[in-house]
Amino acid sequence: MKKEIPGPDVIDEFLYEINALYRLRHARNVIRFHGVVLDNEGQHVRGVLISYAAKGALIDILYDERERGAKIPWSRREKWARQIVAGLAEIHEAGFVQGDFTLTNIVVDERDDAKIIDINRRGCPMGWEPPELRTLIHAGQRVAMYIGIKSDLYQLGMVLWALAAGRDDPDGVLQAGRGLTFEGEDFADDNKVPDWFKRVVETCLAEDPAERVSA
C-alpha cells in the first residue's frame, strides 16, 4: 500500500515515521516497511510503501461486530491484545514512540494478526489524552514535545479496554463522564476477561505516569 505525504506541514512527522518503520522492518507486530516512493526525477521522497492489511482497522472491526450484535471470541481478542502490547514494546525498544496510539492505528492482516501503523508522534486526539496532558490540550497548546512512552502506555490501556469490552469508542465513554471500569454493561463478557488482563489495563490507566509499567 502506498502512503503519501499529506502536506508540507507534516514532513518532519513523516520522516520520523519512515525512520521508525525502517528500524522496525523486522518487527513482528508493526506494519511491514517495503521502501520509499520517489518523484519522477528520483530526488524527493513522495511517500512510503507498507504492507496492506486486508481486514482493515481494529476500530472498524469492533464497530461492525457491535452493529451486528456479534461478540468476538475472547481467544481472538486476547491474541490481538498480546500482539498490540508486543508491537508497542518493539517500538519503544527501538527508541521511538507511537504518539497517536488509538484503535484507528491498529490494523489486522489476512492472517488475522494485529499490526501497529502510523508511528508519527503527531499527538493525542481529544478524548484519548492521558491526564497529565489534558490541561495543555484543552488550552490549545501543541503537545508533540510532551508525547512519550508514558502517554503511549495510557493510550495502550484505552485500546486494551476497548478490545476487551468490544467498544470502538472508549473516549466516548470518558466524555460521558464515566470511567473505563470493569463493572456493569460497559464491559462486555466480564466473566470471560481474566483478572491479569484487568490489572494490565488498570496499570496502563494509572493517573500517575510513574505507575505505568513499560510495555
Side-chain angles (χ1 to χ4, degrees):
M1 188 175 97
K2 178 184 177 184
K3 178 181 178 180
E4 295 185 338
I5 300 176
D9 56 325
V10 294
I11 288 178
D12 287 344
E13 296 168 0
F14 200 83
L15 290 176
Y16 183 90
E17 181 173 8
I18 290 176
N19 282 307
L21 289 176
Y22 177 74
R23 286 277 299 277
L24 290 158
R25 62 193 183 279
H26 302 303
R28 297 183 60 184
N29 303 111
V30 176
I31 201 71
R32 181 60 59 88
F33 170 81
H34 293 280
V36 294
V37 181
L38 304 179
D39 61 12
N40 292 335
E41 288 73 37
Q43 297 296 316
H44 303 287
V45 175
R46 300 295 301 272
V48 61
L49 290 177
I50 56 176
S51 291
Y52 175 69
K55 296 188 178 181
L58 186 56
I59 190 171
D60 296 325
I61 294 173
L62 294 179
Y63 176 81
D64 291 342
E65 293 293 313
R66 192 175 179 193
E67 285 295 295
R68 293 204 304 264
K71 294 181 179 179
I72 301 172
W74 171 250
S75 58
R76 189 182 183 199
R77 287 181 282 163
E78 182 182 322
K79 181 188 82 166
W80 288 342
R82 291 181 180 276
Q83 291 172 335
I84 291 166
V85 174
L88 189 62
E90 290 173 321
I91 292 170
H92 290 171
E93 288 168 4
F96 296 90
V97 294
Q98 204 286 334
D100 185 15
F101 200 37
T102 67
L103 295 168
T104 306
N105 290 330
I106 301 165
V107 295
V108 179
D109 66 12
E110 69 281 356
R111 296 183 178 180
D112 205 45
D113 290 329
K115 307 285 184 178
I116 297 174
I117 63 172
D118 284 355
I119 307 170
N120 54 43
R121 69 177 307 162
R122 182 175 296 120
C124 301
M126 291 291 287
W128 285 78
E129 70 274 12
E132 65 270 19
L133 296 185
R134 285 174 192 152
T135 301
L136 296 173
I137 290 176
H138 287 278
Q141 296 188 36
R142 290 179 58 87
V143 296
M145 64 181 295
Y146 300 102
I147 298 299
I149 289 175
K150 296 299 185 178
S151 55
D152 272 359
L153 291 171
Y154 183 86
Q155 291 183 313
L156 172 63
M158 294 186 68
V159 165
L160 296 179
W161 180 92
L163 185 56
R167 295 291 296 254
D168 59 285
D169 61 341
D171 51 323
V173 174
L174 289 174
Q175 290 173 10
R178 294 172 288 163
L180 300 181
T181 68
F182 297 103
E183 306 299 331
E185 62 182 4
D186 287 339
F187 207 78
D189 294 338
D190 183 59
N191 61 329
K192 296 182 181 179
V193 179
D195 288 340
W196 65 261
F197 190 92
K198 298 177 184 179
R199 289 194 297 271
V200 169
V201 173
E202 290 166 352
T203 299
C204 290
L205 294 177
E207 289 285 314
D208 183 354
E211 295 179 5
R212 299 172 201 155
V213 182
S214 74

